[in-house]
Amino acid sequence: MLMRICAKCGRKVLQGTRCTCAKEREKERHKIYNAEFRDQEKNKFYHSKEWASLVAAVKARANGLDEYALAQGYFEEGNTVHHIYTVDERPDLKMSMDNLIYLSARNHNRIHKEYNKDATTKKILQAKLCGIIH
């Protein structure tokens, strides 16, 4: 068994594994982000019972599969409910099934990357996503 020394805390750890201090630092980083930067109203919404039941309904509609992947012709397990029109853009649609699509983490990240390119690309993709769920 090969061991290495953690560069941060100096503990011996099994090579190829993360030191427990990394998890501790990550927890602390999330704690600071939550306290100082996270939008508390949105956080409250995303942890509500209403949102949890809506997530379950969207997942059931998609049979647990990524709806964007299905439209592209391949199967991928989903794990994230995505607002097609963001809550900031259209707060009136935040609880609408017609504004939610079930995605894999990979496609969710891909879609947000496209959203961030420019307004035209975002609008085209939003129209495409709406077409997929209808």
Side-chain angles (χ1 to χ4, degrees), residues 24-125:
E24 293 162 10
R25 285 193 315 274
E26 192 172 313
K27 277 184 184 179
E28 185 62 27
R29 190 181 52 146
H30 285 293
K31 191 175 179 181
I32 291 167
Y33 179 82
N34 286 339
E36 297 179 16
F37 301 104
R38 188 173 304 278
D39 182 329
Q40 295 304 317
E41 281 302 309
K42 282 184 186 173
N43 193 40
K44 189 185 287 185
F45 165 68
Y46 285 115
H47 288 89
S48 69
K49 289 179 184 177
E50 294 82 9
W51 176 248
S53 63
L54 193 56
V55 165
V58 172
K59 183 178 180 178
R61 176 188 71 196
N63 294 315
L65 297 173
D66 180 322
E67 294 174 294
Y68 182 77
L70 286 173
Q72 304 304 311
Y74 65 96
F75 292 97
E76 190 166 348
E77 190 174 337
N79 60 9
T80 303
V81 173
H82 170 74
H83 282 97
I84 297 169
Y85 294 97
T86 66
V87 174
D88 292 333
E89 286 176 303
R90 296 288 308 271
D92 57 313
L93 297 177
K94 75 179 181 182
M95 294 292 286
S96 171
M97 289 275 291
D98 293 333
N99 187 43
L100 300 171
I101 187 166
Y102 201 61
L103 302 170
S104 65
R106 184 171 64 121
N107 280 332
H108 188 239
N109 291 335
R110 200 178 278 170
I111 286 169
H112 274 285
K113 193 173 183 179
E114 291 294 310
Y115 276 14
N116 292 331
K117 282 185 178 176
D118 58 67
T120 304
T121 303
K122 183 176 182 176
K123 289 210 177 293
I124 291 167
L125 185 52

